[in-house]
Amino acid sequence: VYLRESGGGLVQAGGSLRLSCAASGRTFSDYAMGWFRQAPGKEREFVAGISRSGDTTEYPDTVKGRFTISRDNTKNTVYLQMNSLKPEDTAVYYCAADRFYGPLRTIPGSYDYWGQGTQVTVSS
C-alpha cells in the first residue's frame, strides 16, 4: 500500500493542525493504521493507532486528550487531529499501515508500510 501524508506546517503553541494520510494500492480497510513521529536525534515514537473498522483507538499518555485519530474507509484516508500543540510535539510525522490481525501495535518495526512524512513545527 502506498501512503502519502499532508497537512503539516508551522503553528504556535496552543494551536491545532490536522494531518491526513491518503492510501492507495491495496484495500485500505485491511490495515490497522498508526501515526508516529520522529524528532531530530530521537527514536521514532508511536502517537496514535486505529483499528480497521475505526472502532478502537490507542494513544500514549503524551498525547492522550490532545490528539485524535480517525479514518474514513470510503476515502482511504486516516487523519490525526492535533490540538493544544506544544513545542515538544515538533517532529516529522509519519503514517503507517499494519497487516496484523490483532491488538493495535505501537512498535514501529511492526508496521509494514510507511509514508514519506510531514513536518510539524510548534513555536513557543
Side-chain angles (χ1 to χ4, degrees), residues 90-103:
T90 295
V92 177
Y93 282 70
Y94 300 89
C95 69
D98 185 2
R99 295 175 294 182
F100 177 67
Y101 280 83

Side-chain angles (χ1 to χ4, degrees), residues 18-122:
R18 187 194 196 202
L19 305 183
S20 299
C21 173
S24 61
R26 298 287 179 95
T27 304
F28 181 63
S29 57
D30 284 347
Y31 297 86
M33 299 297 295
W35 283 97
F36 293 77
R37 66 187 181 188
Q38 189 166 19
K42 295 188 176 181
E43 294 186 352
R44 192 167 297 190
E45 64 173 346
F46 172 81
V47 295
I50 189 166
S51 61
R52 286 161 181 76
S53 64
D55 59 355
T56 302
T57 58
E58 185 168 342
Y59 307 91
D61 289 342
T62 50
V63 307
K64 194 173 294 183
R66 300 189 298 123
F67 290 11
T68 302
I69 188 172
S70 61
R71 66 189 296 163
D72 185 340
N73 287 346
T74 67
K75 295 182 178 179
N76 293 345
T77 302
V78 61
Y79 305 96
L80 185 67
Q81 178 68 42
M82 304 185 294
N83 299 329
S84 302
L85 282 163
K86 305 175 181 180
E88 51 264 44
D89 294 319
T90 295
V92 177
Y93 282 70
Y94 300 89
C95 69
D98 185 2
R99 295 175 294 182
F100 177 67
Y101 280 83
L104 291 172
R105 300 196 288 187
T106 64
I107 306 301
S110 302
Y111 284 71
D112 301 292
Y113 301 99
W114 292 82
Q116 83 290 348
T118 186
Q119 176 71 46
V120 171
T121 303
V122 184

